[in-house]
Amino acid sequence: MHHAPRPLRRTGLRSSAGLAAAALLVTGLTTIGTAADAAVPTTELGFEPNDLVAVGDAVFAVGSDTVWSEDGDEVESSHGYVARFGADGNPVGEPLDLGDGSTAVAAAPGGAAGTLIVVGSTQVSGEDEDSEPATVGAIWTVDADLQGQPEMETLTDQLNDVATRGTTSAIVGTSSDDGWVSTGQERISLGRVAPQVVAIGRNAVFAAGVTWDDDGQGIATAWEVTEDGAQPVALEEEHSWVSDLVVDVDSDVAYVASHAPNWYENSGITVLDGDDQTFVELETPATALALSADGETLYATTASDTVEAYATDALDSYDDDNPAPSSWFDDLEPDSILLGANGTVHLADSQGKRVATLTTPAAPANLTAAPDSMSTTGIYASWNEGKHSFELDEETPTDYVVTVRNAAGNLVATETTWDQVFSTDDLAAGQTYTVTVTAVDGAFASPVSTTTVTTHARFVQAPAAVTVQGSLTVGSQVSLNPGTWEPGTTLSYEWYGSTSEGGGAIGRGQTLALTAEHLGMTITGVVTGTHPDAAGVTLDARPGTVASATLPALPAGTPRISGTAQVGKTLTATAGSWPAGTALSYRWTADGKTVAGATGRTLKVTKALQGKRIAVQVTGTLAGHRATVAASAPSTKVAAAPTAKQKAKAKAKKAKQKAKAKAKKAKQKAKAKKKAKKSRRN
């Protein structure tokens, strides 16, 4: 067999996924860093797939079956192949053999509908009978049905990559003298270089490869090719190899994956944005790249058998604490990636001679969101089955990324969860928010499901307090008097009982029949009012402890509150007249709700109580009697603390009154003195 040039990239070959018009995946996954194991169906091939390309609804893998000599220096035989797959990844027909002595290194959609362009090499006969066959570059135009003999054009140079966009095509190759890029009919020399990959942007063609310095050292380099020629851009000086290149066709921002001679030494991605160049170091070298159709997510196959997803607007934000979302493949070494239609992802494993197809998660279904029924700052959302993760049957539940944005588009809440429900209570009252949910499986995400929700602007109008009516004795019945609520309010009733050993719910409904099992329990009745146009309110009443019916009720005093209901002031409770020996305890309430820790005769009025009505409940216990609870009338609404201006005004008024009183007293004293003097004269 004859010597033939090895392809520049036997592993980590380029993907044309960045050029696939059908690529559609969700982007911006900066909040997820957990890896997902992925077991995907694969199709075994008889050759090493070097590239993947989509043409219409079909996916094609191109590559070669090359047999090398034992010392690895000679090709004993080689055949280039093109294999076709449906959008679902299932093979269609038999692979097309490009002939004995051929290799296929890259492909792109053809200029004519239903065709693809394949570049590689082939062998041609020598000039005479004694000459050995020569290896030359080859360009095949292949019908998408893989029927018939493809058209072939040969060049004396080595061809390394091809890209197309619409009717524009670009090929990079090397000759004995230089490296070059061909755009249509024009061939542009790049100098003493080896261009490896090419991509087409909106206004320029981009190439990347290796430039040789005077000492023969390779330097990773990119070129931007326009009508004015090719402008070289040296990448990281330590890098000597380029793995792949993709371009955002809307912005002409290019992404170049490169690495040093030692793969795991400072490998990364260089972002070329006009005259700006940004290098982002990666922990593991990228072997191939793909860009989502909207340009917001960059996918990379890596030397660690993973696919990783990077938000392009936050490439430099990933680190050990915020790793990129990734999918690890247990039995697959992906080194080429194609984003297909309808959420499919195609991966080529050249070492394993196979192609795998996986489907990204479906968009969450039946997404709904509603304001929290008991809050003006909360919302509740659910999707799919609306279950918590522990209720799901899946062994490894799907991750869901939930975001909440305000009307200005600012992110106000986010969470990554296994649940199919989400809630937050950190929003503003009466505001409209957009809720999005994305299903995520490692590096791959579903389309976004979106809905809007408006928080309640106010609380339902409720009474200051509710009361319990009836005797707290075994055999009696007590009922909750809810007071007057806003029209349209739905009321629900609950009863709780507690002892020194604990407590819990003991009944529902407006009335409760007291039985022997309630004896000794301290009873609490709870009324909850909900309204479709307002946040709900819960009020409770604690009338006392259930006693035996044989014990007489303890006569109660009439509690009163003295003091000013104002922030910063102190209120004092007077229990009223109770029988001698009665033990009294106090519980302060604000709008019917217990004030935590307020169990003394006095209450320091805090800012948290502003606008609420304060009352005190006094519980009396006396041996031989049933405990009795008596409540004071509620105060006026707690006023705000006086401002500095108000304090100064009050102080001035007090000083004025004091001066006026002093003057009056002096006047009275002078009048009395004058009267006494007159009396002495008479």
Side-chain angles (χ1 to χ4, degrees):
M1 298 299 294
H2 303 284
H3 290 281
R6 291 177 183 266
L8 286 178
R9 292 168 290 121
R10 289 178 53 80
T11 62
L13 297 169
R14 78 173 282 280
S15 163
S16 58
L19 305 176
L24 178 61
L25 287 181
V26 172
T27 61
L29 307 176
T30 60
T31 60
I32 314 165
T34 57
D37 292 343
V40 295
T42 59
T43 298
E44 302 295 330
L45 302 174
F47 60 91
E48 296 182 7
N50 293 335
D51 200 4
L52 297 171
V53 61
V55 177
D57 294 331
V59 174
F60 296 86
V62 300
S64 306
D65 179 24
T66 304
V67 179
W68 294 83
S69 61
E70 290 186 4
D71 59 12
D73 289 334
E74 287 189 353
V75 173
E76 294 184 352
S77 66
S78 66
H79 283 258
Y81 290 97
V82 181
R84 178 176 176 174
F85 303 86
D88 57 4
N90 292 321
V92 178
E94 294 296 324
L96 173 66
D97 187 346
L98 296 177
D100 185 26
S102 64
T103 64
V105 297
T115 64
L116 67 154
I117 299 173
V118 180
V119 298
S121 65
T122 190
Q123 286 188 338
V124 295
S125 301
E127 295 181 357
D128 53 53
E129 295 182 356
D130 296 330
S131 299
E132 293 186 350
T135 299
V136 297
I139 303 173
W140 290 273
T141 300
V142 180
D143 287 335
D145 58 9
L146 302 188
Q147 299 298 314
Q149 188 66 27
E151 296 181 11
M152 182 180 69
E153 176 187 355
T154 60
L155 295 83
T156 57
D157 298 344
Q158 176 177 304
L159 306 182
N160 301 328
D161 197 11
V162 60
T164 60
R165 180 169 177 251
T167 58
T168 303
S169 63
I171 297 176
V172 289
T174 54
S175 69
S176 58
D177 298 322
D178 67 352
W180 50 266
V181 56
S182 173
T183 57
Q185 301 301 316
E186 184 178 10
R187 173 166 160 165
I188 301 172
S189 174
L190 302 178
R192 186 167 170 260
V193 302
Q196 297 161 252
V197 287
V198 65
I200 301 174
R202 169 178 286 184
N203 300 309
V205 172
F206 292 83
V210 179
T211 300
W212 308 104
D213 62 17
D214 294 337
D215 297 325
Q217 299 296 317
I219 301 173
T221 306
W223 294 268
E224 183 176 356
V225 182
T226 64
E227 295 177 352
D228 298 327
Q231 297 297 323
V233 179
L235 307 182
E236 283 288 307
E237 292 184 1
E238 296 85 355
H239 288 195
S240 60
W241 201 255
V242 169
S243 299
D244 204 359
L245 160 71
V246 292
V247 178
D248 185 341
V249 296
D250 291 327
S251 64
D252 272 351
V253 174
Y255 303 87
V256 185
S258 59
H259 56 83
N262 179 351
W263 269 41
Y264 291 89
E265 193 175 295
N266 195 32
S267 60
I269 295 173
T270 301
V271 183
L272 302 177
D273 186 359
D275 295 331
D276 296 329
Q277 178 182 161
T278 304
F279 176 72
V280 180
E281 186 173 358
L282 301 182
E283 182 177 353
T284 305
T287 56
L289 302 177
L291 194 63
S292 62
D294 57 15
E296 294 184 11
T297 303
L298 181 67
Y299 294 88
T301 61
T302 76
S304 298
D305 303 338
T306 65
V307 174
E308 299 175 353
Y310 297 89
T312 55
D313 61 355
L315 268 173
D316 57 356
S317 69
Y318 299 98
D319 53 29
D320 291 341
D321 296 326
N322 178 38
S326 63
S327 293
W328 177 71
F329 298 89
D330 185 28
D331 192 31
L332 190 72
E333 300 179 19
D335 49 24
S336 190
I337 178 172
L338 171 68
L339 307 183
N342 301 320
T344 57
V345 178
H346 307 277
L347 302 170
D349 176 0
S350 61
Q351 297 300 308
K353 297 184 178 181
R354 53 191 170 174
V355 171
T357 298
L358 58 90
T359 302
T360 60
N366 304 319
L367 173 62
T368 61
D372 188 327
S373 62
M374 300 299 291
S375 170
T376 59
T377 58
I379 61 171
Y380 176 87
S382 68
W383 55 92
N384 289 359
E385 298 178 80
K387 294 181 178 180
H388 291 275
S389 58
F390 59 81
E391 300 174 301
L392 298 171
D393 296 331
E394 300 177 32
E395 294 183 4
T396 54
T398 299
D399 277 321
Y400 296 100
V401 181
V402 186
T403 67
V404 182
R405 297 183 182 273
N406 59 21
N410 298 321
L411 183 68
V412 294
T414 184
E415 181 179 327
T416 299
T417 178
W418 284 351
D419 297 332
Q420 295 174 347
V421 294
F422 166 82
S423 63
T424 182
D425 195 35
D426 295 325
L427 308 179
Q431 300 297 309
T432 299
Y433 295 89
T434 299
V435 180
T436 66
V437 182
T438 306
V440 178
D441 182 8
F444 305 108
S446 73
V448 174
S449 294
T450 304
T451 190
T452 58
V453 60
T454 302
T455 54
H456 285 307
R458 60 181 181 84
F459 285 94
V460 65
Q461 297 174 20
V466 297
T467 58
V468 173
Q469 297 174 332
S471 174
L472 288 177
T473 57
V474 174
S476 299
Q477 180 173 279
V478 290
S479 63
L480 273 162
N481 180 3
T484 302
W485 294 71
E486 176 181 344
T489 302
T490 299
L491 300 180
S492 62
Y493 304 87
E494 295 175 297
W495 297 90
Y496 296 87
S498 63
T499 66
S500 59
E501 297 179 352
I506 58 174
R508 293 180 179 274
Q510 192 169 359
T511 61
L512 174 69
L514 300 176
T515 66
E517 68 180 70
H518 299 138
L519 183 63
M521 286 186 178
T522 299
I523 301 298
T524 301
V526 178
V527 180
T528 300
T530 57
H531 195 283
D533 299 327
V537 170
T538 297
L539 300 177
D540 67 80
R542 188 177 298 176
T545 303
V546 178
S548 170
T550 59
L551 296 178
L554 178 65
T558 303
R560 293 183 297 103
I561 298 175
S562 60
T564 303
Q566 185 179 56
V567 175
K569 300 292 186 180
T570 298
L571 300 178
T572 302
T574 302
S577 179
W578 296 73
T582 300
L584 302 175
S585 61
Y586 299 84
R587 183 172 72 97
W588 293 85
T589 63
D591 285 351
K593 294 183 179 181
T594 299
V595 179
T599 58
R601 285 191 61 223
T602 60
L603 174 69
K604 180 73 172 181
V605 182
T606 64
K607 189 174 182 180
L609 301 177
Q610 184 175 320
K612 300 180 180 179
R613 298 179 186 274
I614 307 300
V616 67
Q617 289 185 356
V618 180
T619 301
T621 56
L622 181 64
H625 295 77
R626 301 192 305 273
T628 301
V629 177
S632 71
S635 69
T636 59
K637 288 186 178 182
V638 173
T643 63
K645 185 176 181 180
Q646 289 172 331
K647 288 180 180 180
K649 187 175 181 181
K651 186 176 181 181
K653 182 178 180 181
K654 187 174 180 180
K656 185 176 180 181
Q657 290 174 339
K658 186 175 180 180
K660 187 175 181 180
K662 186 175 181 181
K664 183 178 180 181
K665 186 175 181 181
K667 185 176 180 180
Q668 290 173 341
K669 186 175 181 180
K671 187 175 181 180
K673 186 176 181 181
K674 185 176 181 181
K675 185 177 181 181
K677 186 175 181 182
K678 185 176 181 181
S679 297
R680 286 197 300 271
R681 287 178 181 175
N682 295 333

